[in-house]
Amino acid sequence: MVFSCLIFLINRNIKGRVLEYNMRLREASIDYLTKIGNRASFEKNLEKSFQFYKKVNSSYSFALFDIDKFKEINDTFGHIAGDKVLVEVAKNSEKILFTHFKNSKLYRVGGDEFAIAFRGRSGDEVLPILIEISKKINSHPINYKGKVISVSISAELAEMSTKNLVARDLYEEADNYLYYSKKNGRNKVTFNGKLY
């Protein structure tokens, strides 16, 4: 009887620790504010996914986008309003993304910067979805305490090619073209050097 009680208590203790560990692991990979993947999970999954799709000779596309003039939003409306903008951008992006590609993943990788990994998808397949995300964000201003905040994004889409040896190459390509979108008027999506 004593032995059974001891086994029961040990099992309960182990189960409790496993649940706590899993909860902390999840918290470590989710952005607290937007409830999407964070930079740590992005870094962990990007290279692994990239190498897998490269090995099986399948498509892999990657997008970076950030909120145009986000600092102005924070300076004009306050940081709580800025937080609401981040949450709404993440929510609207995720809704569109998962309507079309359930195996893709959205991350918040910096202050107002987001990344999307499109697993098994070419840039041509993904471009209309990224444009749809941009249009949705642009056409849905955010109401905050009776004030309307207009939001737009600048985005870049890059796809895996033979010149991309590691995922970081693809990331840098997307990052460079993101500035191209911004330099050419913001509220743009760039893919293969073309603005949409």
Side-chain angles (χ1 to χ4, degrees):
M1 178 73 175
V2 173
F3 184 71
S4 295
C5 286
L6 187 58
I7 296 288
F8 172 77
L9 291 173
I10 290 171
N11 278 339
R12 192 169 78 179
N13 187 17
I14 290 171
K15 285 179 185 176
R17 287 181 188 222
V18 167
L19 287 173
E20 183 179 340
Y21 172 79
N22 287 336
M23 183 182 75
R24 291 189 190 278
L25 192 61
R26 179 168 160 45
E27 287 173 356
S29 64
I30 299 295
D31 179 64
Y32 177 78
L33 179 65
T34 59
K35 307 298 185 234
I36 60 175
N38 65 13
R39 180 69 183 231
S41 64
F42 166 74
E43 294 284 345
K44 178 182 170 189
N45 293 320
L46 180 65
E47 187 65 39
K48 187 168 53 172
S49 293
F50 177 86
Q51 291 303 331
F52 172 78
Y53 284 99
K54 188 173 181 179
K55 184 178 181 178
V56 298
N57 200 26
S58 182
S59 299
Y60 185 85
S61 298
F62 173 77
L64 276 179
F65 70 87
D66 67 14
I67 300 168
D68 295 329
K69 300 183 180 182
F70 186 69
K71 184 179 179 336
E72 271 183 39
I73 292 170
N74 276 336
D75 291 347
T76 303
F77 299 100
H79 288 88
I80 294 172
D83 286 351
K84 182 170 181 172
V85 167
L86 291 168
V87 169
E88 290 299 314
V89 165
K91 186 171 70 176
N92 287 326
S93 300
E94 196 168 49
K95 191 181 298 181
I96 291 169
L97 179 64
F98 294 120
T99 298
H100 297 283
F101 304 128
K102 293 191 184 345
N103 70 333
S104 298
K105 180 78 175 155
L106 177 66
Y107 303 90
R108 180 173 171 216
V109 294
D112 67 317
E113 187 173 57
F114 296 82
I116 307 171
F118 293 99
R119 301 172 185 133
R121 302 291 179 176
S122 71
D124 289 327
E125 289 176 281
V126 168
L127 180 61
I129 307 314
L130 195 54
I131 291 170
E132 183 180 342
I133 289 170
S134 178
K135 286 181 178 178
K136 169 84 171 183
I137 291 167
N138 190 40
S139 66
H140 285 83
I142 295 163
N143 292 307
Y144 178 73
K145 291 189 173 182
K147 296 178 181 163
V148 177
I149 305 171
S150 295
V151 181
S152 66
I153 63 169
S154 293
E156 161 43 21
L157 176 61
E159 66 183 334
M160 185 170 54
S161 70
T162 54
K163 68 181 179 181
N164 307 127
L165 301 176
V166 293
R168 182 55 84 187
D169 296 339
L170 191 62
Y171 182 88
E172 286 176 11
E173 180 183 328
D175 197 40
N176 289 334
Y177 276 118
L178 179 61
Y179 289 102
Y180 183 75
S181 292
K182 288 187 165 303
K183 245 180 12 185
N184 286 282
R186 291 185 162 80
N187 193 22
K188 304 270 190 257
V189 175
T190 305
F191 176 50
N192 285 335
K194 294 181 188 169
L195 292 166
Y196 297 89

